[in-house]
Amino acid sequence: MNKQFSMFGIALLILIVLTSVILGLAAGPTNPLTWLLVAFLISIPFIHKKMAKRTYIEWEDSYSVGLNSIDLQHKKLINLINQLQTAVDYSTGEEFEREALNDVLDYTKTHFTHEEGLLEQHGYPELEPHKAEHLRMIKYIEVTIAKYEKDPDSSINNALDFLKQWLINHINGTDKQYSSFMLEKGAQ
Ligand SMILES: [Fe+2]
Ligand SMILES: [Fe+2]
């Protein structure tokens, strides 16, 4: 469904319910349907929060790789992916989506450069396969941006699902593999 249309549909539904409640209360507060609609209106923020939790990534302590600088960068990457999700959810327009997507790409590159530099500095033996995994991710984001330019609506949600899944899997899998080695080397 078109994003703008679905946001418009939700806003229209809330407006209809709100009008029904006002008319219901004005006619006399005894109608149970009016109170049912009041309960629905009150529950909207809770429903919204629950739905948002499913789409946004929340940092968990279990994601820590034990190195402060890396954890901070992973948190920032999560924030940037969440910002992209916000841009898509609230239909802020293609300009903002494109900017958010480019921010994800730029900061992913920054993070990979920092992480690889730190691993190299401490002589991490699995650096090359780790670098190759990073390179595949960069390529994926670049291809996604190219697809986005051609067909924004259909490519962005797939990209978001992939980015979220990839980041958490990479942190919990490939990144965590260096934790004990790097901590033993005194990295922070
Ligand atoms: Fe990594
Ligand atoms: Fe990382």
Side-chain angles (χ1 to χ4, degrees):
M1 193 192 293
N2 180 287
K3 286 178 294 181
Q4 271 86 1
F5 183 76
S6 71
M7 289 300 285
F8 176 73
I10 291 166
L12 191 66
L13 176 71
I14 292 172
L15 192 69
I16 290 168
V17 173
L18 193 63
T19 311
S20 307
V21 166
I22 291 166
L23 291 176
L25 289 173
T30 49
N31 190 340
L33 183 66
T34 303
W35 292 106
L36 209 65
L37 292 175
V38 169
F40 172 70
L41 279 178
I42 293 171
S43 64
I44 287 174
F46 299 101
I47 296 169
H48 181 262
K49 210 173 169 191
K50 266 215 158 341
M51 285 172 75
K53 259 198 162 174
R54 278 213 303 268
T55 49
Y56 291 87
I57 317 173
E58 266 182 56
W59 171 265
E60 290 177 20
D61 289 342
S62 64
Y63 297 160
S64 173
V65 295
L67 307 173
N68 204 26
S69 66
I70 301 283
D71 283 348
L72 284 173
Q73 292 186 353
H74 286 161
K75 282 178 191 171
K76 186 161 176 182
L77 262 179
I78 285 174
N79 283 340
L80 289 172
I81 293 173
N82 285 339
Q83 270 175 34
L84 176 59
Q85 181 76 63
T86 305
V88 172
D89 284 352
Y90 291 92
S91 305
T92 52
E94 280 173 28
E95 201 180 312
F96 285 102
E97 284 179 6
R98 192 175 291 114
E99 199 179 314
L101 200 49
N102 279 314
D103 286 347
V104 170
L105 175 65
D106 289 346
Y107 197 72
T108 302
K109 284 179 179 170
T110 302
H111 166 61
F112 288 171
T113 304
H114 172 85
E115 193 174 77
E116 288 167 12
L118 204 64
L119 296 177
E120 192 169 8
Q121 189 189 331
H122 291 88
Y124 181 58
E126 295 301 313
L127 177 60
E128 287 313 314
H130 199 133
K131 270 179 155 176
E133 209 173 296
H134 284 171
L135 195 64
R136 278 198 293 277
M137 180 58 172
I138 295 292
K139 289 252 180 305
Y140 176 83
I141 305 177
E142 283 171 349
V143 168
T144 300
I145 289 174
K147 275 189 195 165
Y148 182 80
E149 296 302 333
K150 283 185 195 156
D151 185 7
D153 269 0
S154 69
S155 60
I156 198 71
N157 281 311
N158 289 343
L160 265 165
D161 287 345
F162 179 86
L163 285 170
K164 286 185 271 190
Q165 209 177 18
W166 187 91
L167 183 64
I168 299 306
N169 286 343
H170 183 77
I171 291 173
N172 281 331
T174 316
D175 280 355
K176 275 194 182 165
Q177 285 168 10
Y178 61 60
S179 290
S180 53
F181 176 88
M182 294 294 277
L183 288 171
E184 267 173 38
K185 295 278 179 184
Q188 287 179 358

